[in-house]
Amino acid sequence: MTTATATAAVNRFGLGAKPGELAQAREARDWLRAQLRMRHDPAPFSGLPDSREIIRRQNEYRLQRRRTKVDAADGDGGPMPSRQALRRDAMTDIGLRYGLAATTATPFVERLVRFWSNHFAISIDKNSARLLAAPMEREAIRPHVLGDFADLLMAVETHPGMLLYLDNTVSVGDDSMLARRRQRREGQRKLGLNENLAREILELHTLGVDGGYAQQDVVELARAITGWGTPLPRELSQHDAGSAFVFRPGAHEPGVRTVLGRRYAEAGEAQGRAILRDLALQPATARHLSMKLARHFVSDSPPPALVGRMASAYLRSGGSLPALYRAMIDDDAAWSADARKFKTPEDFVISAMRAGGMRTERQPLLLIRLLQGLGQPAFTPRSPAGFPDTAADWASGDALRKRLQAAAALSEQVDPTRTPLELATEALGAEAVQGPFADVLRRAGSPQEGFALLFASPAFQWRV
């Protein structure tokens, strides 16, 4: 394999080169394929609370807050330990996430995790999901990123982060037992169907906006997943272990559902799950997923033939994600000279961390502020569609000026015993660090100035 191919494997399919990684990826496709055979390892996040525990603590905090207001009225206020624990664990989660990205030996898999986390985006600017975006990534996405898409889809759509973010916890079938009981009581708020999750499943998560579904399919899917929710406060006792997903038969809309022309018998919770499994294997889903993956890994406008071959491989495999990934990396079109991607702010920061051997994750506030300043705050896409993924979205003049400032801040975290030229060669490959670019790095007034020049350079802004 050529040096350019190894560079593409590490910087475009991976997260940016660590020292020595370009040499490890000399057989580029084999290096990527080997990562697809790895098993999920939960160890990097051990000790963090799961979603059920987070929901329990949130409820405890709300109760403490109500009590504190009463105590304050009586002249006696006090600390709220649940709030402190929630904040501490959230910051730890962010730090561990970026620490793993900066040090992992399987950066292709880690990039896939982040791709799917953005595909199934939830935004923490919505209060109900504020503390559940990072847990959803580690609980629903990481364990399934090298499995079947149907399992990944099921894990995400039943995760409390997604259920709360898209309001499915308040969705009640019009003919459900709960709705009928409520209607018999005068003065009670009317319950009803919420279509948010069903719409995004079809439009964003599976078929795509042009995937051939109609409004009635949205309604029917929404009815099928009524009753999918999270535990109530009384169900979250201190010693009760269990799932953070709850199916409530009383809120479920009974009856046969028809989605995309296929009928699904009444089966309670299983009805919605059957629909999701069929959606996972729709040809439109295969095309939608293949297009998004190719656009993320290959170029902003990937070759249609490549997308078609990826979709065919996915369907032949029965929805296997590794088969889909292999179809992409085995295709010569994914390695063409035109294949290149402009780094998102997160890509930029992570690749600098990897190149510089930084342990910035020990300062999660620094990372959070950097990403906020660059326009891509962690887990805050502000839309279920996720963060955008093309150069036009991130390469404006103002955005590039902010990268210059971030480059200076990141340069301060690099070990000054390394030389800028050495770091650039290890990150970008010797072929990319020649001529005037190399001269500028050699003439830098200090190591930190040289690191800043490297991170701000056009060569460092692209995944090529």
Side-chain angles (χ1 to χ4, degrees), residues 387-423:
F387 287 109
D389 195 23
T390 65
D393 297 302
W394 298 112
S396 69
D398 182 58
L400 294 177
R401 282 191 294 273
K402 290 177 178 177
R403 291 202 186 198
L404 295 176
Q405 298 169 349
L410 288 163
S411 71
E412 295 297 323
Q413 306 296 319
V414 183
D415 181 354
T417 62
R418 300 177 65 190
T419 70
L421 188 63
E422 173 191 45
L423 192 149

Side-chain angles (χ1 to χ4, degrees), residues 327-407:
M328 176 174 62
I329 62 178
D330 288 348
D331 201 302
D332 289 343
W335 302 88
S336 76
D338 297 329
R340 56 195 279 117
K341 289 288 298 184
F342 190 76
K343 291 179 181 178
T344 67
E346 184 177 76
D347 286 336
F348 168 63
V349 170
I350 291 172
S351 60
M353 290 174 68
R354 288 177 70 82
M358 303 176 202
R359 300 310 305 267
T360 315
E361 77 278 2
R362 295 170 180 170
Q363 308 170 60
L365 271 176
L366 171 62
L367 280 170
I368 289 169
R369 289 168 182 160
L370 271 174
L371 291 166
Q372 285 176 336
L374 292 168
Q376 194 178 19
F379 294 115
T380 317
R382 308 193 191 284
S383 161
F387 287 109
D389 195 23
T390 65
D393 297 302
W394 298 112
S396 69
D398 182 58
L400 294 177
R401 282 191 294 273
K402 290 177 178 177
R403 291 202 186 198
L404 295 176
Q405 298 169 349

Side-chain angles (χ1 to χ4, degrees), residues 287-311:
R287 290 191 299 271
H288 180 56
L289 301 183
S290 298
M291 177 61 189
K292 286 193 71 174
L293 275 162
R295 188 173 62 212
H296 182 79
F297 282 95
V298 180
S299 69
D300 289 354
S301 300
L306 168 64
V307 174
R309 289 191 289 268
M310 290 169 61

Side-chain angles (χ1 to χ4, degrees), residues 110-180:
E110 187 63 19
R111 178 169 286 283
L112 287 165
V113 167
R114 287 159 186 268
F115 167 84
W116 290 114
S117 193
N118 194 54
H119 177 79
F120 293 110
I122 63 177
S123 187
I124 62 174
D125 58 348
K126 184 165 183 175
N127 194 51
S128 61
R130 185 174 302 277
L131 295 172
L132 293 169
M136 190 181 88
E137 182 180 270
R138 55 183 162 87
E139 293 170 352
I141 292 174
R142 289 186 181 279
H144 299 288
V145 73
L146 297 180
D148 289 341
F149 178 69
D151 294 333
L152 172 60
L153 180 68
M154 204 75 65
V156 169
E157 309 305 357
T158 58
H159 193 275
M162 187 63 73
L163 293 169
L164 287 163
Y165 178 57
L166 291 176
D167 306 308
N168 208 75
T169 55
V170 297
S171 185
V172 176
D174 292 334
D175 294 325
S176 67
M177 290 185 293
L178 181 59
R180 293 198 301 271

Side-chain angles (χ1 to χ4, degrees), residues 31 36 39 46 68 149 177 180 190 197 238 264 293 339 343 374 405 412 441 456:
W31 184 72
L36 299 181
R39 288 175 165 240
S46 62
T68 301
F149 178 69
M177 290 185 293
R180 293 198 301 271
K190 187 179 184 301
L197 179 56
Q238 179 73 37
Y264 295 86
L293 275 162
K343 291 179 181 178
L374 292 168
Q405 298 169 349
E412 295 297 323
L441 296 177

Side-chain angles (χ1 to χ4, degrees), residues 99 129 206 218 247 251 266 286 312:
T206 59
V218 175
F247 175 68
E266 169 55 44
S312 295

